Amino acid sequence: METVQVGGRGLTYVRRGRGEPLVLVQGMAGHHGLWGERFLGLLAERFDVVAFNHRGVAGGGRVEEQFSTADLARDAVGVMDALGVGSAHVLGISLGGMVAQEMAIRFPERVRALVLGCTYAGPEGGSLDAPGPGRMAQAAAARDAVAAMRVAFEVNLSPGFRGREGAFREFVEVVLAQKVPAAVIGMQMRAALGHDAVGRLGRVVAPTLVVHGTEDEMIRVDNGRHVASLVPGARLEVVEGVGHLFWWEQPEATARLVTSFVASST
């Protein structure tokens, strides 16, 4: 993991592979490890992959003031600037999908192709009423770390995947591998609640793919359909039986989907 300076703050990232640049934007409480080694490795076979951590995450500087998804989009572009990446394909999931929307709207020349996973466009036509966030908040309030981790596992992954041997152990190991302060997670939640790109997604010019799992308990699948309906020419892929972390459950299929979409868009 390395560090670049963006806006007076050190943001951490990993970079691997060769090819056209692909920037990965993680979701709330996420860090680069949550992309999973298998998925990152597959993408690195075809792309120059940059997976950065949001401000305050995994050593990404001190955060004292509330930020917005637009601020996080500026961070992402700042990372690209620092690494000499003029434009890139962008994959953002959940909160990262909201950040990627802002990147495509505010910095259209920097986004070659856009993949938006398990995300939300805004309150008019969208909703953040899935049961997962509420369950996680209740678990956190109880101050039982083991129970909270179990709830996070349950609401982010589908029932079928959760039954695999060793799945929970691997999830815990990866989640705890990097520090994501609770205060930063709270700010990320407020940023997500304040996100509203509904009236602006029609400006997106980058070829766009929207991916959402039917078993998503964090952001309901109807939000994926909503996002796709707002972006001109967007392609929608609804993945049956998969939860919020669709790339974690299906790394090979997701890597193929991303790779083929980018290839068809260039």
Side-chain angles (χ1 to χ4, degrees), residues 166-257:
F168 179 61
R169 182 178 64 255
E170 181 183 5
F171 178 79
V172 171
E173 289 174 352
V174 172
V175 168
L176 297 182
Q178 300 292 335
K179 185 177 181 180
V180 186
V184 172
I185 297 173
M187 292 181 186
Q188 291 178 341
M189 173 64 81
R190 289 188 286 277
L193 291 172
H195 178 72
D196 187 356
V198 172
R200 297 178 292 127
L201 282 173
R203 304 178 198 170
V204 173
V205 295
T208 301
L209 169 67
V210 180
V211 186
H212 218 116
T214 59
E215 299 298 314
D216 194 329
E217 294 186 40
M218 292 296 291
I219 298 179
R220 296 185 192 276
V221 66
D222 285 348
N223 287 283
R225 299 186 178 100
H226 182 230
V227 171
S229 74
L230 297 171
V231 179
R235 171 183 162 191
L236 173 65
E237 287 285 338
V238 174
V239 187
E240 292 292 333
V242 174
H244 193 59
L245 306 187
F246 61 90
W247 69 93
W248 182 278
E249 296 193 30
Q250 297 187 358
E252 291 84 3
T254 305
R256 285 196 301 270
L257 182 61

Side-chain angles (χ1 to χ4, degrees), residues 115-127:
V115 181
L116 302 173
C118 57
T119 195
Y120 158 87
E124 185 179 347
S127 66

Side-chain angles (χ1 to χ4, degrees), residues 11-100:
L11 299 185
T12 56
Y13 71 97
V14 295
R15 186 175 190 177
R16 62 181 66 174
R18 299 179 66 180
E20 296 185 9
L22 172 64
V23 174
L24 306 185
V25 192
Q26 257 295 342
M28 189 175 69
H31 56 75
H32 66 274
L34 280 169
W35 292 111
E37 283 300 315
R38 179 61 177 160
F39 185 54
L40 280 178
L42 289 166
L43 291 179
E45 292 176 3
R46 299 294 299 272
F47 300 103
D48 172 11
V49 180
V50 176
F52 76 98
N53 295 306
H54 292 299
R55 59 176 70 178
V57 174
R62 185 175 178 84
V63 181
E64 297 180 340
E65 296 182 355
Q66 180 60 49
F67 48 80
S68 66
T69 53
D71 293 327
L72 297 180
R74 295 185 188 97
D75 286 352
V77 171
V79 171
M80 292 170 64
D81 288 341
L83 297 179
V85 178
S87 65
H89 308 297
V90 177
L91 164 59
I93 55 90
S94 198
L95 171 66
M98 302 175 210
V99 174

